[in-house]
Amino acid sequence: MPALCAEAARMAQGTTISIPYLPSEDDTARLAAARTVRELGFEPMPHLSARRIGSRAALEHFIDRAVIDAGVERCLVIAGDLSTPAGPFADSASIIESGVLERAGIKVVGVGGHPQGHPVMTSADRWRVLERKCQRIEARGMAPLVITQFAFDADVVLTWLNELRARGITHPVLVGIPGPASVARLVRYAAMCGVAASTSMLSRYGISIGRLLGTAGPDVFVDRLVDGLTEAHGQVSPHLFPFGGIAQSMEWVEHYRMRAGELMVQDGRCSPHPPSLD
């Protein structure tokens, strides 16, 4: 949180800030983070790791306090990495079906999208599960939001978006983008999160595997993504993972906006509004 506070003035008010469910923290720390995000003028989005939640009462208490104390209106539900659930929630669907979220006042529920595949589910299962989750969220009076894991290949993401819309899933999408960081750190996070990071995929991102001591930003990825998006893709926005730190990520955002604005003028598309990165 100190890093966020230090950079808050450089960020647009209302920006959604994710609050990850870190095993090293408890609900008290997560609620404090949500309150800080709200006090800074941003939109807190706590993550709920289903298999790490010990009881229904614990979930109810956390969500109630998050809504009352921090004005939380959205959350991201994930299964979590425990092989055996610590409580009654085996997966994100079980949290959705519990009824806890809508009764507390949650309005938007984020669910995971996997353009680069899933470690245990087939492609058919991934689509079936995603469609089902979105349907159940809507049936409970809330709005689904699809949030993807970060990726290195924009063409893979665009192909996935095409299939998403072809299947009639029209909900907003946040595309995960690795923020600027050392190449070694990006590769390490990819391995930790199960994200494909082959030499060819990294080269498409603009990274040479021979320069692991260097740094890389997502310029190539974002350029390709923006160029490939059409109205048919619906509402698609970036979700920046600040792997190199919030300050470095904000510097990249500012530089990218400036460069994007200059390119639009050079291309005859004079506009004061380059692609949004909030």
Side-chain angles (χ1 to χ4, degrees):
M1 284 298 118
L4 178 64
C5 293
E7 300 298 325
R10 302 170 70 178
M11 303 172 66
Q13 292 287 287
T15 295
T16 296
I17 304 294
S18 286
I19 300 171
Y21 198 103
L22 301 176
S24 59
E25 295 181 344
D26 58 17
D27 282 352
T28 299
R30 298 179 190 110
L31 289 170
R35 287 194 297 270
T36 298
V37 169
R38 176 62 70 191
E39 289 165 0
L40 291 171
F42 307 130
E43 189 72 31
M45 183 172 68
H47 296 188
L48 301 174
S49 182
R51 293 175 188 163
R52 289 188 175 274
I53 297 173
S55 67
R56 180 186 177 94
L59 174 64
E60 290 175 338
H61 181 266
F62 176 80
I63 292 297
D64 286 345
R65 296 320 313 169
V67 171
I68 294 169
D69 296 349
V72 168
E73 295 184 344
R74 59 183 57 204
C75 62
L76 169 65
V77 291
I78 59 175
D81 55 0
L82 290 183
S83 57
T84 302
F89 305 110
D91 51 28
S92 55
S94 61
I95 291 182
I96 295 168
E97 297 286 6
S98 71
V100 171
L101 302 181
E102 68 266 29
R103 281 199 290 272
I106 295 296
K107 298 178 180 178
V108 178
V109 180
V111 292
H114 301 90
Q116 294 186 181
H118 190 279
V120 297
M121 285 194 289
T122 66
S123 177
D125 286 341
R126 290 199 311 272
W127 288 117
R128 178 182 54 80
V129 168
L130 179 57
E131 289 169 346
R132 175 66 176 172
K133 288 178 185 177
C134 290
Q135 290 167 358
R136 297 311 300 158
I137 291 168
E138 283 193 301
R140 291 181 171 277
M142 299 175 289
L145 172 65
V146 182
I147 304 176
T148 79
Q149 182 57 278
F150 67 90
F152 292 112
D153 191 332
D155 287 333
V156 169
V157 175
L158 288 166
T159 298
W160 177 85
L161 284 169
N162 288 337
E163 185 167 359
L164 182 81
R165 299 318 189 197
R167 288 175 174 269
I169 303 175
T170 60
H171 310 297
V173 176
L174 294 182
V175 173
I177 299 172
S182 71
V183 174
R185 176 172 291 186
L186 290 173
V187 172
R188 185 167 67 251
Y189 272 110
M192 290 170 56
C193 299
V195 174
S198 65
T199 300
S200 61
M201 190 170 290
L202 290 171
S203 67
R204 291 176 64 83
Y205 189 75
I207 293 175
S208 168
I209 203 67
R211 50 186 292 268
L212 287 178
L213 296 179
T215 60
D219 297 73
V220 173
F221 179 96
V222 175
D223 285 347
R224 177 69 189 97
L225 184 66
V226 170
D227 288 344
L229 289 173
T230 68
E231 290 185 4
H233 289 113
Q235 185 177 337
V236 178
S237 305
H239 179 56
L240 199 63
F241 288 69
F243 292 140
I246 295 177
Q248 188 173 356
S249 291
M250 289 311 303
E251 289 174 6
W252 177 84
V253 169
E254 291 168 355
H255 292 158
Y256 186 87
R257 281 175 170 158
M258 185 179 300
R259 181 174 68 82
E262 291 172 352
L263 289 174
M264 291 174 77
V265 172
Q266 293 170 8
D267 194 34
R269 296 175 291 153
C270 185
S271 168
H273 303 294
S276 173
L277 287 165
D278 294 331

